[in-house]
Amino acid sequence: MTLTTDPESARHALTTMWTIRRFEEAVDDMFARGLMHGTMHLSIGQEAVPTGACMALSEGDYITSTHRGHGHCIAKGAKLDAMMAELLAKETGYCRGRGGSMHIADVATGNLGANGIVAGGVPIAAGAGLAVRMRGGSEVVVSFFGDGAVNEGAWHEGVNLAAIWDLPVVFVCENNRYGMSMSVDRAFNVDTLAERAHGYGIPGVTVDGNDPQAVHDAVADAVQRARSGGGPSFVEALTYRWKGHSKSDKNLYRTREEIESWRERDPIAAFEAAVTGGGATAGAATAPALSASDVEECRTLARDRVREAIRTANAAPDADAATLTDAVYAPAGEPIAGGARA
Amino acid sequence: MTTTSDTRPASGPVDSAAVEPRTLTYSEAVREAMAQAMAADDRVFLFGEDVGTYGGAFGVSGDLVHRFGTERVRDTPISELGIVGAAVGAGLAGMRPIVEIQFSDFTAQAMDQIANQAAKIHFMLGGAATVPMVLRAPGGSGTGAAAQHSQSLEAWFAHVPGLKVVMPSTAADAKGLLLSAIDDPNPVIVLEHKLLYKQSGPVPEEPVRVPLGETAVRRTGTDVTIVATGVMVSRALEAAERLAADGVSAGVLDPRTLRPLDDRTIVDSVAATGRALLVQEAPKTGGFMSEIAARIVESPAFGRLQAPVSRLCGLDAPIPYAPQLEQAAVPQVDDIVTKAGELVRRW
């Protein structure tokens, strides 16, 4: 799939990236104005990774996500109003107000959930891959995580299990250069995190995570390999988070110049330039995928979707404390193994 | 509330007359439950360290790998966090995994996936997904394995909303409770006891479930109610026998599941006897018997108490190696006899 030359793909990729951007900006704004509670981790600047990766997936494929997971949800096809309602503590939110930003899942679209624990989703992804394998399915699991996860024990154990059992899992690292304040330069003694893949006997590549095409190509290769029984792969996508880690972040660990240099590499601006033919990467012989007005349409659509989600969510009833403990345990179903209940 | 004959189904389509009681060891009963569940449902599988050809560290999985193959009786690397996480993922994606952790102590390696993931996912997602999985692990002292292979950690798990916690004390319960655990759509921690693996008892051949959340009355008594879990149940029963010879009528209750807890049966019994002796192998401070004590004193049974609610627990110390030290670290039959006798005679 060539995102920059195929108009439909270009439109989808651009609208998805703008939707993530506008969603995150809206959340940032509501939070700053005291209209939103709790904490959240914004993925502004990283939109190309979930967009490119999820465009390589098919219906039924799974993802596991992270604390910085709004983009993964959106790219996998989650409903914006249910996401926004969750953040606004509404009964109509994905988790009925029980989970908030760090636990949004959309099982219907194969999103097994964001996760508040760094690398928590990695062995879970291996397990979902094991389930697919055992029932003879053809689905693939993409596990998103950040650079920080790559130093967690759970990451190593999950990747190793997927590797020894050839499970259909693609491990996608959003290397945004910092685990909170700890830079990858200080946290790793390897040049690229993809090198870690070789320690588990699986392919590992490093790509430009601000280029949805590069992310897509690497993930699509890995998905194809996983789907055809070739086992897991590791894709490291180099990107950058423009905003702080969370609301407490005063950016003491990085310079204004560094942030500015990455803002100049805005994945959305670069992609717009590429699809309209103005970018350095545009092939001279190819017609631009999108016109300026197409681009404007994508922006407007994204803005309107987010506005509509906010309106719908604000009108919804607040999460109800009367049913707070309802979902602590799932109700019992039928005995699964034959026989009787005593 | 169930009767003393816990092996017999209280109701249901299985006619108790048709269930031929035969004797199995506790570990055979666990194996039979897993085999019947795997035979009945392709989604059920067992994985863990050395559960395949080796047959399990305590021989519990035995020959299952030869009956169900290496896909469904799956050896794993030494990787507790990874395999429990994989069980969470497999459960989320529609399977019914059973994980064996070789010693319950090793669940410390996997605690994030147990307490932060498995226990909370259903709730955090507002009920939109379930994590049906069973984690089996042997606990308890008495094998000379010292402090990192002998703990009784039930209170850790029982403290986490979202987990169910099971402690079978008989062969029949080892099978029946495990079948219920496999049926359950929630994560269930089944804490087996190493000293019980070779104990035999009548076990129905049919897959007869023992429901989670029903305290078993192992023995009725009028002077004191002894509540015990795990290997302490058989010690309490032996103590009750000796107490009877001394003219003290002690009842013995076995909660069997700590979450959900059938406290009603306990409270009713204590209201009738007026005395409660709560016996656990785990250290006293913060132990599960403290919870049972609180449930008793918060209930109307409080007004019927003739003696302070009393706990007899393991020492607040790690389990030591030397046999004489190990024995001194946890309640023995003599201790139960002495303590129960005091409760009855002094008050």
Side-chain angles (χ1 to χ4, degrees):
Chain A
M1 191 187 293
T2 314
L3 309 188
T4 45
T5 54
D6 171 48
E8 197 184 330
S9 303
R11 194 181 290 272
H12 180 83
L14 187 57
T15 306
T16 303
M17 288 198 291
W18 270 119
T19 304
I20 297 170
R21 175 76 53 96
R22 292 296 182 231
F23 186 92
E24 301 287 51
E25 286 171 349
V27 168
D28 198 25
D29 174 63
M30 282 188 284
F31 194 78
R33 289 193 288 141
L35 301 174
M36 202 172 264
H37 159 83
T39 190
M40 59 266 318
H41 307 90
L42 304 176
S43 63
I44 295 174
Q46 304 183 192
E47 298 88 347
V49 184
T51 300
C54 288
M55 286 181 75
L57 296 181
S58 305
E59 205 174 317
D61 288 338
Y62 295 103
I63 65 166
T64 64
S65 169
T66 70
H67 58 288
R68 200 175 306 287
H70 302 161
H72 310 136
C73 286
I74 292 169
K76 193 69 171 70
K79 296 190 288 283
L80 295 185
D81 54 350
M83 285 180 67
M84 198 57 89
E86 184 59 30
L87 298 179
L88 288 167
K90 301 293 187 172
E91 192 66 32
T92 54
Y94 264 115
C95 316
R96 300 172 59 215
R98 275 70 171 163
S101 168
M102 281 191 283
H103 303 296
I104 293 177
D106 183 21
V107 181
T109 59
N111 179 353
L112 297 178
N115 208 305
I117 304 294
V118 171
V122 174
I124 293 175
L130 179 60
V132 168
R133 168 59 107 53
M134 290 188 73
R135 61 173 181 245
S138 61
E139 301 92 341
V140 169
V141 187
V142 164
S143 182
F144 290 106
F145 49 84
D147 45 279
V150 181
N151 282 332
E152 283 278 12
W155 186 88
H156 293 266
E157 296 195 22
V159 171
N160 187 55
L161 290 182
I164 59 171
W165 293 333
D166 286 329
L167 300 179
V169 185
V170 181
F171 297 101
V172 177
C173 177
E174 293 173 310
N175 178 354
N176 65 15
R177 299 205 53 76
Y178 292 93
M180 205 156 154
S181 70
M182 186 71 174
S183 74
V184 291
D185 299 331
R186 294 195 295 146
F188 291 87
N189 197 29
V190 286
D191 293 331
T192 71
L193 308 198
E195 289 175 40
R196 291 271 169 96
H198 308 314
Y200 296 95
I202 65 172
V205 294
T206 301
V207 299
D208 178 359
N210 280 8
D211 177 358
Q213 183 72 59
V215 173
H216 175 270
D217 291 347
V219 174
D221 272 358
V223 165
Q224 201 271 334
R225 184 158 49 243
R227 222 186 283 289
S228 58
S233 315
F234 179 25
V235 176
E236 176 192 16
L238 300 174
T239 184
Y240 196 78
R241 88 172 131 68
W242 293 8
K243 293 285 182 173
H245 162 74
S246 68
K247 65 182 179 181
S248 66
D249 192 337
K250 298 183 183 67
N251 276 323
L252 300 175
Y253 52 89
R254 55 185 187 174
T255 63
R256 196 176 295 275
E257 292 71 30
E258 180 185 297
I259 298 172
E260 200 43 52
S261 75
W262 278 92
R263 289 176 73 107
E264 284 163 13
R265 296 172 56 190
D266 180 354
I268 300 182
F271 187 70
E272 285 186 347
V275 293
T276 53
T281 56
T286 328
L290 300 182
S291 67
S293 70
D294 291 334
V295 167
E296 199 49 46
E297 246 176 57
C298 294
R299 292 180 185 179
T300 306
L301 181 59
R303 185 199 63 197
D304 290 350
R305 278 181 184 170
V306 172
R307 282 185 181 170
E308 180 57 29
I310 296 169
R311 263 196 299 275
T312 307
N314 270 325
D318 290 339
D320 184 4
T323 57
L324 165 61
T325 58
D326 276 6
V328 177
Y329 293 98
E334 287 304 300
I336 63 164
R341 281 186 201 285
Chain B
M1 168 173 164
T2 56
T3 63
T4 45
S5 48
D6 67 289
T7 58
R8 199 166 56 223
S11 62
V14 175
D15 176 5
S16 59
V19 177
E20 188 66 29
R22 33 107 237 200
T23 299
L24 289 183
T25 65
Y26 183 100
S27 67
E28 287 167 345
V30 172
R31 187 184 316 140
E32 185 168 274
M34 293 194 288
Q36 288 178 341
M38 281 196 275
D41 193 317
D42 288 343
R43 297 173 300 171
V44 180
F45 69 103
L46 169 68
F47 67 143
E49 295 156 12
D50 311 298
V51 298
T53 305
Y54 193 100
F58 288 90
V60 176
S61 50
D63 64 347
L64 289 180
V65 70
H66 303 302
R67 292 152 72 184
F68 296 97
T70 53
E71 280 280 300
R72 295 183 71 197
V73 181
R74 181 178 289 264
D75 277 328
T76 68
I78 301 168
S79 196
E80 289 83 5
L81 179 58
I83 61 185
V84 176
V88 173
L92 273 173
M95 300 297 280
R96 294 281 184 156
I98 304 169
V99 172
E100 176 178 304
I101 299 292
Q102 286 190 336
F103 288 80
S104 66
D105 314 69
F106 305 167
T107 60
Q109 294 268 32
M111 220 42 161
D112 174 60
Q113 287 293 334
I114 297 168
N116 285 328
Q117 313 294 344
K120 293 180 172 61
I121 283 175
H122 181 68
F123 179 86
M124 291 192 302
L125 305 192
T130 56
V131 185
M133 60 173 278
V134 175
L135 188 159
R136 295 179 32 245
S141 64
T143 64
Q148 296 170 337
H149 292 71
S150 302
Q151 294 170 89
S152 299
L153 298 174
E154 63 273 12
W156 285 11
F157 303 109
H159 194 60
V160 182
L163 298 179
K164 294 190 177 182
V165 183
V166 176
M167 288 182 79
S169 72
T170 68
D173 278 1
K175 177 176 175 182
L177 290 168
L178 180 54
L179 284 168
S180 291
I182 295 168
D183 282 347
D184 204 281
N186 297 286
V188 183
I189 311 295
V190 181
L191 295 167
E192 296 160 3
H193 199 291
K194 299 177 205 89
L195 295 186
L196 295 175
Y197 276 138
K198 291 190 173 133
Q199 300 291 312
S200 295
V203 179
E205 287 183 35
E206 295 293 309
V208 178
R209 276 105 176 122
V210 174
L212 307 185
E214 288 190 7
T215 293
V217 179
R218 301 291 183 198
R219 180 186 175 109
T220 54
T222 54
D223 294 328
V224 57
T225 300
I226 302 176
V227 183
T229 48
V231 77
M232 292 298 144
V233 175
S234 52
R235 291 185 191 172
L237 285 168
E238 197 181 328
E241 200 64 38
R242 284 170 48 186
L243 286 160
D246 287 345
V248 173
S249 171
V252 177
L253 304 189
D254 174 5
R256 302 193 284 190
T257 60
L258 308 189
R259 255 190 199 266
L261 176 67
D262 167 19
D263 54 4
R264 181 76 175 271
T265 301
I266 297 168
V267 161
D268 287 350
S269 172
V270 174
T273 62
R275 297 177 187 88
L277 176 60
L278 314 177
V279 187
Q280 71 182 20
E281 182 173 351
K284 179 182 272 187
T285 303
F288 194 76
M289 287 303 166
S290 309
E291 175 65 25
I292 292 186
R295 301 273 182 116
I296 292 168
V297 299
E298 285 173 344
S299 80
F302 178 73
R304 312 283 288 275
L305 287 172
Q306 298 174 43
V309 173
S310 184
R311 287 173 296 162
L312 183 60
C313 306
L315 298 181
D316 275 320
I319 297 293
Y321 162 69
Q324 68 280 16
L325 302 185
E326 186 178 28
Q327 201 172 10
V330 301
Q332 305 296 329
V333 175
D334 285 349
D335 304 319
I336 302 172
V337 170
T338 304
K339 191 87 177 176
E342 272 174 22
L343 268 187
V344 173
R345 294 191 190 98
R346 189 170 158 202
W347 299 90

